[in-house]
């Protein structure tokens, strides 16, 4: 009797252990199921590189290049802001901050990670957007730049915590060796610690960027949502994620528009998959 | 009576050959001391008797360990480990109260009666010479006991499931001389009822409590004989060298 | 050659600056929301339904909707996540399958939240015909927080010393008995931490519920789990971007309640973790 019970439980544990694989496969499968239908009306090439996104015109024009470029622009801006600040903060926490400050800073970073993106979007709308508008004398502050700044804040917790981890796990002897040779603390960090932790730091940056590309609500609320190819960081843009979030509510199930939005989902899924697998490889290389 | 018979025992962990072609017997109601330098295969040998080696992933075994003429691999593993108890090198109380540490094994083996469990706990704590010291604080955490008390608690816990054999894996390595003496006393009393295999890196301890002593070196059984023979007239030069402290 | 100590001073100054550039805005965000949002909070705001096209009244249905969603998500994700964590910590061997599972978890954690929304729409709303409902939303959120629960639970299980398992097995306990009576009870604080973090994440997410459950304006409480519901994060989105002329107080008040809810859960998780670390017996 006990044997039977344990047999059942252990099988259940195995099944749940496999659940993650099952769900990833299921997500991909359902995205494909709904998204691939769009390629009956538009070729994959024209879908990815078509310059106009007018999904409800007749006939619909389903080119997502403006959205891809919108995402890229916002992401690039966010990366430029968040990478130096994030890695710098990670070095500060791992190497320089005294223990109590360190704990407080880590808690602060966790706090930032916990703030819902819709709240950050809201705050961006009421503070950052007017600021950007008045600084650059623009007709609207809903620009790629505003999105980049806000998204930088969403990437930072990821970058800081993973990079800090990577620095922390560099063997102490490396640093001690450098210091023993007469290097200053900074030289030890710059020439020894950071190179030794480089693959972890790289993974941190990639995962941070992954978070940015996938971010939806904040970006939708503050980038202005103009589905045109952006010509400046101070122009409104629309990202892949925001397009799905903003338009799926109106798309009729089974329409071209509906399929197209799922195809955008496939693109996002593939991007995040690639980023995560690569980052994972970097993290494992470290060990 | 012969308790364990070991035939052509070989054990590997990955490519490391930990036990090499060991043949021996373990008699009941006596203490067999197993001595040897570290990495000589003593603990691996001990863990072959209750199949605890199997927790290791790269483990491979040939030959046979027989408990009362039955191959241990044929015995249901929970039943084997109930019969062949083990006391570890460091005192390892479970994160439970003193009482529950001893009661844990009893409950695991299906005993539900509250009074029966209480009876058994008291009986085994007495056998381990711990009852007087803890009888008023049974509900306290076991981690509050001293190292020596913890180790005797571990002995009581092992006794509580009703073993026939008790394996001691360097049970005094973390203890001071007084605690060690108490544990040794307990062992000597226990052999009246149980078969005891004691792995120790303390040659003097083997001489004090062992009826027989086996000397392992690099996974081989060099010599097995009555303890006084081993210590007065060892047949093998290596045994002689080890007990005189020339290496190890 | 420059003076290395001067270089160090300059470098450290910039590192400190970088840290400030993160910390100060975070502090400001929290302070601003508290300062402007707290005065909006009163009993009526928390207990009343939205009125006049969400320009007045309270946010009660949104609070309740979020509670339903989060509860549903955890009912789904906790058992699966915990068992998956047990598998990884106690049963898995170092082989390709385990590697694949870990990779799958990393990927689940990285899938953009709006893609979860699409997935929930395709699977639960359309394929299983649950419609836009609390069930669909909860299941979507549940899958989304699965990696959080698995990862933290697994860490908690693995932090239980291996020797306890050996002792239990050596007494003749079966593997499951050992897990059930020795490993799990000692991992509970860590598992609880992970669960609460998952709850906080589920409570704050908007994109996954956009098309699976969220109602734009539904001034009543849901009657069954197959009803649509309002939810706090979506409500905040709606009143900040979709409805013109909403009083700033209501927006800040809603942001405050959402932030307070999420941060409170995180705080509880941090406290549990801290107390557990202090009390650790081994």
């Amino acid at each position: 009797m006990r044997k039977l019970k344990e047999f059942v439980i252990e099988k259940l544990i195995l099944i749940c252990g496999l659940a993650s694989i099952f769900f990833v496969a299921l997500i991909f499968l359902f995205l494909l199921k709904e998204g691939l239908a769009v390629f009956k009306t538009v070729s994959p090439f024209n879908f990815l590189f078509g310059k106009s996104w007018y999904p409800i015109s007749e006939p619909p024009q389903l080119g997502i290049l403006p959205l891809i470029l919108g995402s890229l622009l916002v992401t690039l801006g966010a990366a430029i802001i968040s990478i130096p600040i994030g890695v710098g903060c990670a070095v500060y926490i791992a190497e320089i901050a005294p223990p109590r400050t360190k704990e407080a800073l880590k808690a602060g970073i966790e706090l930032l990670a916990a703030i819902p993106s819709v709240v950050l979007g809201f705050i961006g709308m009421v503070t950052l957007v007017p600021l950007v508008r008045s600084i650059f004398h623009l007709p609207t502050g809903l620009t790629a730049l505003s999105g980049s700044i806000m998204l930088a804040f969403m990437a930072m917790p990821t970058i800081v915590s993973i990079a800090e981890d990577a620095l922390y796990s560099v063997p102490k002897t490396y640093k001690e060796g450098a210091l023993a040779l007469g290097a200053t603390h900074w030289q030890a960090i710059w020439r020894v610690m950071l190179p030794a932790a480089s693959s972890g730091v790289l993974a941190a940056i990639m995962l941070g960027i992954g978070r940015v590309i996938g971010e939806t609500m904040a970006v939708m609320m503050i980038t202005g949502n103009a589905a045109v190819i952006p010509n400046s960081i101070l122009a409104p843009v629309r990202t892949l994620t925001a397009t799905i979030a903003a338009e799926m509510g109106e798309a009729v199930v089974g329409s071209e528009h509906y399929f197209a939005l799922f195809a955008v989902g496939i693109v996002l899924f593939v991007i995040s998959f690639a980023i995560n697998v690569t980052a994972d490889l970097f993290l494992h290389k470290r060990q | 009576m012969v308790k364990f018979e070991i035939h052509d025992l070989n054990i590997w962990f990955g490519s490391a050959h930990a036990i090499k072609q060991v043949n021996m017997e373990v008699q009941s109601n006596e203490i067999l001391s197993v001595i040897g330098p570290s990495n000589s295969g003593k603990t691996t040998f001990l863990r072959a008797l209750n199949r605890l080696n199997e927790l290791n992933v790269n483990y491979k075994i040939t030959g046979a360990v027989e408990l009362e003429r039955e191959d241990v691999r044929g015995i249901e593993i929970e039943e084997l480990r109930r019969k062949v108890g083990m006391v570890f090198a460091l005192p390892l109380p479970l994160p439970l109260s003193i009482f529950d540490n001893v009661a844990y094994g009893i409950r695991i083996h299906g005993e539900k009666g509250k009074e029966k469990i209480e009876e058994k706990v008291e009986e085994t704590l007495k056998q381990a010479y711990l009852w007087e010291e803890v009888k008023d604080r049974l509900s306290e955490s076991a981690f509050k006991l001293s190292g020596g008390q913890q180790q005797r608690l571990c002995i009581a816990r092992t006794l509580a499931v009703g073993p026939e054999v008790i394996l001691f894996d360097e049970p005094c390595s973390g203890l001071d001389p007084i605690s060690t003496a108490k544990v040794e006393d307990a062992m000597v009393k226990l052999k009246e009822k149980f078969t005891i295999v004691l792995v120790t890196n303390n040659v003097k301890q083997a001489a004090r409590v062992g009826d027989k002593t086996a000397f392992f070196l690099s996974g081989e059984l060099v010599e097995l004989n009555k303890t006084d023979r081993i210590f007065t007239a060892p047949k093998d030069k290596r045994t002689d060298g080890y007990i005189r402290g020339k290496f190890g | 050659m420059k003076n290395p100590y001067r270089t160090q001073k300059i470098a450290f100054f910039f590192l400190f600056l970088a840290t400030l550039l993160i910390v100060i805005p975070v502090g400001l965000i929290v302070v601003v929301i508290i300062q402007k949002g707290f005065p909006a909070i009163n009993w009526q705001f928390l207990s009343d339904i939205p009125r006049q096209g969400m320009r007045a009244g309270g946010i009660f249905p949104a609070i309740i909707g979020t509670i339903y969603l989060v509860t549903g998500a955890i009912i789904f994700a906790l058992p699966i996540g915990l068992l998956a964590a047990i598998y990884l910590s106690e049963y898995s061997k170092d082989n390709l399958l385990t590697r694949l599972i870990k990779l799958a978890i990393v990927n689940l954690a990285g899938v953009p939240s709006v893609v979860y929304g699409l997935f929930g729409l395709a699977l639960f709303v359309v394929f299983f015909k649950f419609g836009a409902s609390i069930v669909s939303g909860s299941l979507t959120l549940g899958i989304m927080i699965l990696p959080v629960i698995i990862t933290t639970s697994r860490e908690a299980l693995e932090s239980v010393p291996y020797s306890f398992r050996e002792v239990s097995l050596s007494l003749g306990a079966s593997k499951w008995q050992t897990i059930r009576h020795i490993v799990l009870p000692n991992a509970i604080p860590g598992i609880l931490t992970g669960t609460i973090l998952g709850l906080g994440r589920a409570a704050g997410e908007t994109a996954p519920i956009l098309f699976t459950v969220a109602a734009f304006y539904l001034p009543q409480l849901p009657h069954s789990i197959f009803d649509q519901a309002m939810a706090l994060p979506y409500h905040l989105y709606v009143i900040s971007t979709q409805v013109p002329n909403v009083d700033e107080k209501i927006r800040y008040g809603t942001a405050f309640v959402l932030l307070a809810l999420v941060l409170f859960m995180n705080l509880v998780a941090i406290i549990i973790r801290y107390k557990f670390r202090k009390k650790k017996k081994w």
Side-chain angles (χ1 to χ4, degrees):
Chain A
M1 188 54 209
R2 203 195 81 200
K3 288 265 148 191
L4 180 72
K5 190 181 125 199
E6 293 190 356
F7 178 81
V8 172
I9 288 171
E10 292 191 344
K11 284 288 164 277
L12 206 62
I13 287 173
L14 175 65
I15 290 169
C16 288
L18 298 175
S20 309
I21 296 181
F22 173 73
F23 284 131
V24 171
L26 202 66
I27 291 173
F28 193 49
L29 217 71
F30 267 82
L31 290 178
L32 288 181
K33 174 178 173 292
E34 305 285 30
L36 286 183
V38 79
F39 298 122
K40 280 184 212 148
T41 42
V42 55
S43 74
F45 183 84
N46 287 336
F47 177 72
L48 287 173
F49 300 107
K51 287 183 188 138
S52 354
W53 174 259
Y54 298 119
I56 38 181
S57 66
E58 199 55 53
Q61 293 192 298
L62 303 169
I64 62 167
L65 190 63
L67 315 178
I68 293 178
L69 291 178
S71 274
L72 276 181
L73 184 62
V74 174
T75 305
L76 191 70
I80 290 172
I81 301 167
S82 63
I83 292 171
I85 296 180
V87 176
C89 178
V91 174
Y92 185 81
I93 292 180
E95 283 294 314
I96 303 168
R100 298 197 75 150
T101 319
K102 187 172 169 159
E103 289 306 309
L105 284 174
K106 279 177 143 182
I109 301 294
E110 263 184 69
L111 185 80
L112 177 57
I115 299 177
S117 76
V118 70
V119 172
L120 284 177
F122 168 70
I123 282 291
M125 268 179 67
V126 292
T127 57
L128 186 64
V129 168
L131 196 70
V132 167
R133 195 180 67 143
S134 64
I135 289 177
F136 296 100
H137 306 290
L138 300 169
T140 169
L142 298 169
T143 59
L145 179 67
S146 317
S148 292
I149 296 174
M150 225 52 226
L151 284 185
F153 276 96
M154 314 197 76
M156 280 180 212
T158 311
I159 296 179
V160 174
S161 63
I162 297 176
E164 199 257 333
D165 238 25
L167 286 165
Y168 181 78
S169 59
V170 173
K172 271 210 174 65
T173 47
Y174 284 31
K175 187 171 125 190
E176 282 162 5
L179 293 177
L181 291 173
T184 62
H185 190 180
W186 167 246
Q187 284 170 329
I189 293 171
W190 184 247
R191 303 240 175 92
V192 180
M193 301 291 289
L194 276 172
S198 61
S199 61
V201 173
L202 219 57
I205 291 170
M206 276 194 269
L207 291 172
I209 289 175
R211 176 117 199 254
V212 169
I213 293 177
E215 173 45 43
T216 310
M217 296 315 288
V219 98
M220 177 160 67
M221 291 163 86
I222 54 184
T223 53
N225 289 325
V228 291
I229 293 178
N231 52 17
S232 147
I233 189 111
L234 294 173
V237 295
R238 166 176 276 192
T239 64
L240 295 164
T241 50
T243 305
I244 300 175
E247 296 180 7
M248 187 49 100
E250 279 114 59
V252 180
V253 174
S255 66
E256 298 300 333
H257 190 192
Y258 175 88
F259 295 141
L261 291 176
F262 269 93
V264 174
I266 297 175
V267 173
L268 278 171
F269 183 88
V270 170
I271 293 174
S272 81
F273 191 85
I275 289 178
N276 281 296
V277 171
T278 323
D280 196 58
L281 286 177
F282 274 111
L283 282 177
H284 275 263
K285 199 174 120 196
R286 181 153 58 97
Q287 279 145 17
Chain B
M1 198 180 85
V2 178
K3 200 73 188 174
F4 279 110
E5 269 177 79
I6 288 119
H7 301 295
D8 301 328
L9 184 66
N10 284 281
I11 294 174
W12 291 265
F13 293 112
S15 58
H17 199 170
I19 293 284
K20 296 169 189 159
Q21 199 61 23
V22 167
N23 284 285
M24 62 187 279
E25 286 178 356
V26 181
Q27 300 286 334
S28 56
N29 299 99
E30 61 177 35
I31 299 180
L32 170 70
S33 302
V34 179
I35 58 170
S38 48
N39 291 321
S40 57
K42 300 174 304 220
T43 298
T44 303
F45 164 73
L46 199 68
R47 285 168 164 244
L49 302 183
N50 66 350
R51 288 171 61 191
L52 214 54
N53 281 325
E54 289 173 18
L55 297 180
N56 196 305
V57 230
N58 297 316
Y59 165 73
K60 210 179 96 204
I61 182 169
T62 63
V65 176
E66 290 177 2
L67 174 65
E68 292 178 342
R69 303 202 169 276
E70 197 181 352
D71 193 312
V72 290
R73 278 166 293 182
I75 305 173
E76 199 191 9
I77 196 151
E78 287 90 8
E79 183 58 15
L80 172 71
R81 289 181 183 156
R82 189 189 65 71
K83 282 187 183 167
V84 184
M86 185 160 199
V87 176
F88 292 83
L90 293 169
L92 287 172
L94 295 168
L96 302 167
S97 72
I98 295 172
F99 182 89
D100 286 335
N101 255 282
V102 184
Y104 176 71
I106 312 172
R107 292 188 182 128
I108 284 297
H109 289 285
E111 180 58 62
K112 290 204 175 73
K114 198 165 167 266
E115 275 167 35
K116 267 226 167 118
I117 293 175
E118 280 172 6
E119 240 170 66
K120 190 83 190 164
V121 169
E122 180 174 344
E123 181 195 323
T124 51
L125 280 172
K126 280 178 178 161
Q127 274 181 304
Y129 297 97
L130 191 61
W131 175 251
E132 289 303 320
E133 294 162 57
V134 300
K135 65 181 178 192
D136 302 319
R137 45 192 286 212
L138 289 171
S139 58
E140 278 180 30
S141 163
F143 289 101
K144 290 197 175 161
L145 297 174
S146 73
Q149 287 171 328
Q150 287 186 5
Q151 195 59 303
R152 277 177 283 145
L153 180 70
C154 293
I155 295 175
R157 182 178 65 194
T158 307
L159 294 176
V161 295
E164 297 166 10
V165 182
I166 306 175
L167 311 175
F168 286 90
D169 185 7
E170 304 186 13
C172 302
S173 53
L175 302 185
D176 60 84
I178 296 170
S179 305
T180 300
K182 284 189 180 170
V183 172
E184 285 179 6
D185 283 349
M187 274 192 275
V188 172
K189 283 270 166 34
L190 288 172
K191 78 172 180 186
E192 291 163 12
K193 286 190 190 160
F194 306 97
T195 306
I196 291 179
V197 183
L198 165 69
V199 161
T200 177
N201 49 14
N202 178 343
V203 177
K204 288 182 188 133
Q205 182 173 53
R208 280 197 298 271
V209 300
D211 296 296
K212 286 198 184 127
T213 296
F215 173 58
F216 274 74
L217 186 64
S218 310
E220 281 175 64
L221 173 63
V222 176
E223 198 170 345
L224 167 60
N225 212 331
K226 289 212 160 61
T227 296
D228 45 10
R229 300 285 299 167
I230 288 272
F231 280 90
T232 53
K235 288 196 190 108
D236 196 294
K237 273 203 325 229
R238 291 169 294 176
T239 316
D240 189 49
Y242 180 71
I243 58 177
R244 284 162 182 271
K246 284 191 182 150
F247 64 92
Chain C
M1 183 62 201
K2 292 165 288 180
N3 180 346
Y5 287 95
R6 209 161 81 214
T7 319
Q8 165 157 320
K9 257 194 176 159
I10 296 168
F12 281 12
F13 170 75
F14 276 106
L15 295 179
F16 183 65
L17 195 69
T19 310
L20 284 187
L21 278 174
I22 299 183
V23 174
I24 291 177
V26 175
L28 277 178
I29 290 171
V30 175
V31 167
V32 165
I33 291 181
I34 292 176
Q35 204 179 28
K36 296 206 174 176
F38 189 69
I41 307 299
N42 52 42
W43 180 243
Q44 195 223 347
F45 184 69
L46 295 176
S47 65
D48 197 7
I49 58 168
R51 293 175 195 281
Q52 295 170 27
M54 294 179 270
R55 292 185 187 88
I59 54 169
F60 186 58
I63 296 177
I64 292 299
T66 287
I67 292 176
Y68 280 173
L69 285 174
V70 165
T71 313
I74 216 72
I75 289 175
F76 172 75
L78 182 57
I80 296 182
L82 183 53
L83 290 181
I86 292 178
Y87 176 78
L88 285 173
S89 130
E90 309 296 322
Y91 287 92
S92 71
K93 300 189 179 73
D94 192 13
N95 57 19
L96 185 69
L97 180 67
T98 308
R99 190 86 185 77
L100 280 177
I101 293 176
K102 288 181 180 166
L103 204 61
I105 293 170
V106 169
N107 272 298
L108 270 188
V111 170
S113 56
V114 73
V115 173
Y116 275 105
L118 285 180
F119 167 67
L121 172 67
L123 181 66
F124 302 121
V125 178
V126 175
F127 187 75
F128 284 140
K129 300 195 172 64
F130 292 154
S133 64
I134 293 175
V135 189
S136 302
S138 291
L139 290 174
T140 309
L141 288 173
I143 295 176
M144 188 193 72
I145 61 172
L146 207 52
V148 180
I149 294 183
I150 296 178
T151 314
T152 45
S153 302
R154 179 174 150 230
E155 271 170 27
L157 292 166
E158 284 179 351
S159 74
V160 176
Y162 187 70
S163 56
F164 290 172
R165 296 173 175 83
E166 267 193 353
V167 165
S168 175
L169 292 172
S170 82
L171 289 169
S174 67
K175 187 156 187 163
W176 172 247
Q177 282 176 324
T178 301
I179 295 168
R180 167 79 188 71
H181 296 289
I182 300 297
V183 183
L184 267 183
N186 286 295
I188 278 180
I191 294 167
L192 213 60
T193 310
T195 308
I196 297 169
L197 287 177
L199 281 174
R201 172 99 198 272
E205 276 291 351
T206 318
I209 58 174
L210 279 175
F211 344 113
T212 52
V213 49
F216 186 77
Y217 178 48
L218 189 72
Q220 58 178 19
L221 298 184
H223 298 293
S224 88
I225 54 168
F226 292 102
D227 281 352
Q228 274 193 295
M230 296 183 84
L232 272 176
Y234 184 59
H235 186 65
L236 176 59
Y237 168 69
V238 165
I239 58 175
S240 337
T241 62
Q242 309 288 302
V243 186
N245 305 325
V246 177
D247 187 0
E248 211 185 37
K249 244 174 100 175
I250 292 188
R251 291 180 178 167
Y252 273 108
T254 309
F256 176 81
V257 173
L258 177 58
L259 190 66
L261 185 74
V262 171
L263 292 191
F264 174 72
M265 289 195 223
N266 277 270
L267 191 69
V268 171
I270 290 171
I271 290 173
I272 293 176
R273 198 169 50 194
Y274 178 73
K275 284 213 156 165
F276 175 57
R277 244 188 237 154
K278 261 178 88 175
K279 222 180 69 181
K280 219 170 192 175
K281 299 163 198 140
W282 54 84

